[in-house]
Amino acid sequence: MSSIEDVLNIIQMIFSRYLLPICLFFGIFGNIFNIFIFLAKKFRSNSCSIYFLGTSFTNLFIIIFGIIPSISSSYITDPSLYLTWACKLKLYGLHSLLMISRTYVTLACLDQYFFSSVKPYLRRLSNTKFALKMLLIVPICWLIIPIHMLIFMNVQIPYVKCGTSGVYSLVYAIYSFLCSSTPLILMIIFSLLAFSNIRQINHRIVPAMNVANHIHMKKYDRQIILMLIFTVWIYFISNVLHPTNTLYMYLTVVPKGQ
């Protein structure tokens, strides 16, 4: 058993020291590149681009505060494994940032559904003023909602890990399941509805005098919706197993350990 653990520890150390720095570099570069793109004049007036801008900023913080500690932990002991305050802040901070990012992407999907709708009253719901308000409201909400993590998360002894224990393990498992699955479901629903709206718009008969403008709008909408669908799939692939795994770990591992 110890030999297997040693091999796993070596693999983890190699991954942390040599692969994570590459991910860190490309992650920071990619998000900074996105920020510069969405700050361009032609994108600033688009509400969906505002959500993408917020997502890029948030993902930049996630990469910095999520990957750098993982790299440093391969050289020195992670403080969150023995300091209570470090444990609480680490889990609370990363969770809040992840939920802010997920919420921005969900709002971007909803925005594109409104923007591409043939119904005027729905199209009016897609506007930059509302997007800018949500850019501020979303972080405030996700700094308040998971405050329970600051109270109940703790260093677990003798396991020497940062996490949950007792009844709160079940509460957190359910909470984590809802926080992970709900945004993903909403992303998929509204991105598919937006894509369907775009297809309907592309097949509509347009007067000859508006053909040039229609083609311009059609190309612009296609770029935004394709970018959004790609983002949703990335979130789906990287997050689909997390809520199920959280519940599975509680229902199998935790009861046996109690």
Side-chain angles (χ1 to χ4, degrees):
M1 179 65 71
S2 60
S3 60
I4 296 177
E5 291 180 355
D6 291 339
V7 171
L8 291 176
N9 289 332
I10 292 173
I11 294 174
Q12 183 179 8
M13 183 185 69
I14 293 173
F15 179 79
S16 299
R17 291 187 178 182
Y18 304 107
L19 294 182
L20 282 184
I22 298 174
C23 297
L24 178 67
F25 171 79
F26 284 105
I28 292 176
F29 175 80
N31 281 286
I32 291 177
F33 181 74
N34 287 339
I35 290 170
F36 277 107
I37 288 178
F38 293 121
L39 282 175
K41 186 176 180 180
K42 69 175 182 178
F43 287 108
R44 283 194 300 241
S45 60
N46 182 276
S47 52
C48 187
S49 297
I50 292 175
Y51 293 123
F52 276 129
L53 183 63
T55 302
S56 298
F57 268 112
T58 308
N59 288 343
L60 192 59
F61 284 107
I62 292 173
I63 291 169
I64 292 173
F65 293 109
I67 294 182
I68 291 180
S70 297
I71 296 173
S72 64
S73 65
S74 65
Y75 296 94
I76 59 174
T77 305
D78 186 354
S80 66
L81 296 179
Y82 58 88
L83 294 177
T84 300
W85 65 266
C87 167
K88 293 177 182 291
L89 286 178
K90 177 183 177 180
L91 295 183
Y92 167 79
L94 285 176
H95 173 76
S96 297
L97 288 171
L98 284 169
M99 290 312 302
I100 291 169
S101 179
R102 291 170 183 167
T103 305
Y104 282 151
V105 177
T106 304
L107 289 172
C109 295
L110 182 62
D111 178 84
Q112 279 299 283
Y113 166 66
F114 289 150
F115 176 76
S116 60
S117 176
V118 296
K119 300 175 181 178
Y121 71 91
L122 286 180
R123 285 201 303 272
R124 285 195 291 270
L125 295 176
S126 172
N127 61 82
T128 55
K129 288 184 179 180
F130 179 77
L132 289 171
K133 287 180 181 178
M134 295 308 296
L135 212 61
L136 298 175
I137 292 174
V138 168
I140 294 173
C141 291
W142 284 114
L143 287 175
I144 295 174
I145 294 173
I147 281 182
H148 56 87
M149 296 178 67
L150 290 175
I151 301 172
F152 297 105
M153 289 290 184
N154 214 329
V155 176
Q156 303 302 313
I157 298 174
Y159 303 107
V160 192
K161 67 175 184 177
C162 179
T164 62
S165 62
V167 177
Y168 182 66
S169 295
L170 175 60
V171 174
Y172 180 75
I174 296 173
Y175 167 79
S176 180
F177 178 84
L178 293 175
C179 286
S180 300
S181 59
T182 303
L184 286 175
I185 293 172
L186 293 176
M187 287 179 200
I188 294 172
I189 291 174
F190 286 112
S191 61
L192 290 176
L193 289 174
F195 182 74
S196 176
N197 286 345
I198 295 294
R199 292 191 62 184
Q200 291 179 26
I201 292 173
N202 291 340
H203 287 87
R204 291 177 64 188
I205 299 175
V206 182
M209 61 182 299
N210 292 329
V211 169
N213 184 55
H214 175 70
I215 293 174
H216 172 73
M217 286 294 294
K218 183 171 65 175
K219 289 181 179 179
Y220 183 80
D221 292 340
R222 185 182 292 123
Q223 290 174 351
I224 293 293
I225 194 65
L226 287 177
M227 186 184 303
L228 190 60
I229 290 175
F230 176 76
T231 303
V232 170
W233 274 108
I234 293 296
Y235 268 83
F236 178 79
I237 293 171
S238 60
N239 289 276
V240 65
L241 295 178
H242 176 70
T244 305
N245 183 64
T246 302
L247 284 178
Y248 173 79
M249 289 293 290
Y250 176 80
L251 295 174
T252 57
V253 178
V254 174
K256 291 178 181 179
Q258 288 181 341

